[in-house]
Amino acid sequence: MSIKLITNSTPFLRESVRTGCFDTQLGSTRCYPGGGRLKAIKRRRKTVATIGKLTKTMSVVAASKMGPAQAKAAQVSPFFTSMIKTFDKLTHEPKNNDKIMTLVITTDKGLCGGTNNGLTRTLLKQDLSNQSIVVWGDKGCGAFERSVYRLSIPFSAHPNQKTPLSFIEVSTVVERLLKEEFDVLRVAFNKMSASTPGIAYIYLPSLRKLNSPEGKDILAKYEIEANAEDELLVSLTEYLLSAGVNYACFHNQAVEMFARRNSMDNATKNSKEVGKKLQIKFNRERQAMITTELGEITSGAAAVDAMSK
């Protein structure tokens, strides 16, 4: 009968020594009272600082895009403002017997303050029961889907976010709008007014309105060269509505960048204030721990002196 001796070369002993407390040094760490609170505050302070860096970056990006957006809005404005002068009598608020379609221009991205909420809340306070509603943008769809007017929305428009907005894309939406029956298209959007954003409305006549006696009287003073007058009116209506919607979309984009820059600036300032408050709270907790440790050391030393006497 042979007996096998367990030495340091055996795998069992090597495993037991390798996972011992002296090898991992777990027993040499002391858990101080209040240490968990300090770690939680430190982790939260780091998170707030990271959010502040993100909001600061978004503010810089929005500020860099705000100038080109305002310049683009100014460039597309003459195409609409010069043409709307011709139909000035038809672009006022509609009459009681006119059938109205409201086009709500909102943004596809958030983080731009109350730009979208202010517009949708203002419209939902109005009586839209006899109107058709078309929503442009993702952020306006949620507000109207939860409202009592959700059945009055025939469709919603969502432009491609990967490419800049073009007149062709706007014309595609207008082509779909012309398939609906209405007399006046009311476009609601955000627009800069004296360096302050506000809600604006423009009223655009439909083909049925231009083909009415009132519309023909306006066009009677112009010399028209066309093979078919009806075809000319259709093309004129499409261009007028496309120019108006294009005007509203680009002005709304300028307000979006302006509001995003301001909201991200405010978020950055708030993160700095929260970070300062968390730093003060962290210092108080750490000072309380130090005071507790000093009290324990003093009382322990006094106990040792008492025992030695």
Side-chain angles (χ1 to χ4, degrees):
M1 183 177 181
S2 61
I3 300 176
K4 184 178 180 181
L5 298 178
I6 300 177
T7 61
N8 290 340
S9 60
T10 59
F12 174 79
L13 189 58
R14 288 202 306 270
E15 184 69 19
S16 63
V17 173
R18 189 176 67 84
T19 58
C21 63
F22 293 102
D23 186 61
T24 58
Q25 297 182 355
L26 293 176
S28 62
T29 303
R30 180 181 176 184
C31 295
Y32 294 93
R37 292 194 300 271
L38 281 181
K39 288 183 178 180
I41 296 173
K42 192 173 182 180
R43 190 182 303 113
R44 187 180 176 189
R45 187 180 60 185
K46 185 177 180 181
T47 302
V48 171
T50 303
I51 294 174
K53 293 179 181 179
L54 293 174
T55 54
K56 180 64 177 178
T57 303
M58 294 183 67
S59 174
V60 173
V61 172
S64 64
K65 291 182 178 180
M66 184 179 67
Q70 292 178 346
K72 186 69 174 178
Q75 291 173 2
V76 303
S77 295
F79 294 95
F80 171 70
T81 56
S82 60
M83 190 173 184
I84 201 64
K85 295 178 182 178
T86 306
F87 307 98
D88 185 53
K89 295 182 179 179
L90 297 177
T91 56
H92 298 294
E93 292 190 12
K95 302 177 182 178
N96 294 331
N97 55 350
D98 289 337
K99 189 174 183 180
I100 306 171
M101 173 175 282
T102 300
L103 176 62
V104 186
I105 307 294
T106 59
T107 65
D108 289 301
K109 298 179 182 179
L111 300 177
C112 51
T115 302
N116 298 308
N117 290 335
L119 178 60
T120 54
R121 288 176 182 175
T122 302
L123 290 174
L124 290 176
K125 291 179 181 178
Q126 302 175 6
D127 185 13
L128 306 177
S129 56
N130 296 325
Q131 301 182 19
S132 300
I133 304 170
V134 176
V135 182
W136 178 296
D138 292 335
K139 295 303 177 180
C141 293
F144 282 94
E145 285 177 356
R146 295 187 298 268
S147 68
V148 295
Y149 305 114
R150 59 182 180 274
L151 298 179
S152 300
I153 303 175
F155 69 97
S156 60
H158 305 275
N160 188 6
Q161 301 182 20
K162 296 182 180 179
T163 57
L165 184 66
S166 63
F167 188 79
I168 298 176
E169 193 171 7
V170 174
S171 301
T172 304
V173 178
V174 171
E175 186 179 357
R176 176 64 178 84
L177 281 172
L178 291 174
K179 295 180 180 179
E180 303 293 330
E181 292 185 1
F182 63 92
D183 295 321
V184 177
L185 176 65
R186 183 178 70 154
V187 184
F189 60 102
N190 291 282
K191 183 183 178 182
M192 296 294 295
S193 177
S195 70
T196 304
I199 300 174
Y201 302 95
I202 56 176
Y203 299 91
L204 304 174
S206 66
L207 177 61
R208 186 163 56 184
K209 195 76 172 179
L210 289 179
N211 206 17
S212 63
E214 185 180 3
K216 289 182 178 181
D217 290 340
I218 295 174
L219 296 175
K221 60 182 178 180
Y222 295 97
E223 184 178 352
I224 299 175
E225 295 180 1
N227 296 327
E229 185 178 351
D230 295 338
E231 183 179 354
L232 178 65
L233 284 178
V234 172
S235 301
L236 185 63
T237 305
E238 290 178 356
Y239 181 78
L240 177 61
L241 267 62
S242 299
V245 175
N246 192 59
Y247 170 86
C249 288
F250 279 103
H251 276 277
N252 194 77
Q253 285 184 358
V255 174
E256 176 187 358
M257 296 304 167
F258 176 82
R260 182 170 292 121
R261 186 201 63 175
N262 292 344
S263 62
M264 291 299 102
D265 280 341
N266 294 333
T268 304
K269 294 177 182 178
N270 292 337
S271 65
K272 290 181 179 179
E273 293 179 1
V274 173
K276 290 179 181 179
K277 292 180 181 179
L278 290 174
Q279 181 65 41
I280 294 173
K281 187 176 181 180
F282 179 84
N283 294 337
R284 288 177 179 174
E285 290 287 344
R286 185 177 62 180
Q287 188 63 38
M289 286 181 57
I290 294 173
T291 305
T292 303
E293 288 294 320
L294 290 176
E296 291 179 356
I297 293 172
T298 305
S299 60
V304 171
D305 291 340
M307 291 178 63
S308 62
K309 293 179 182 180

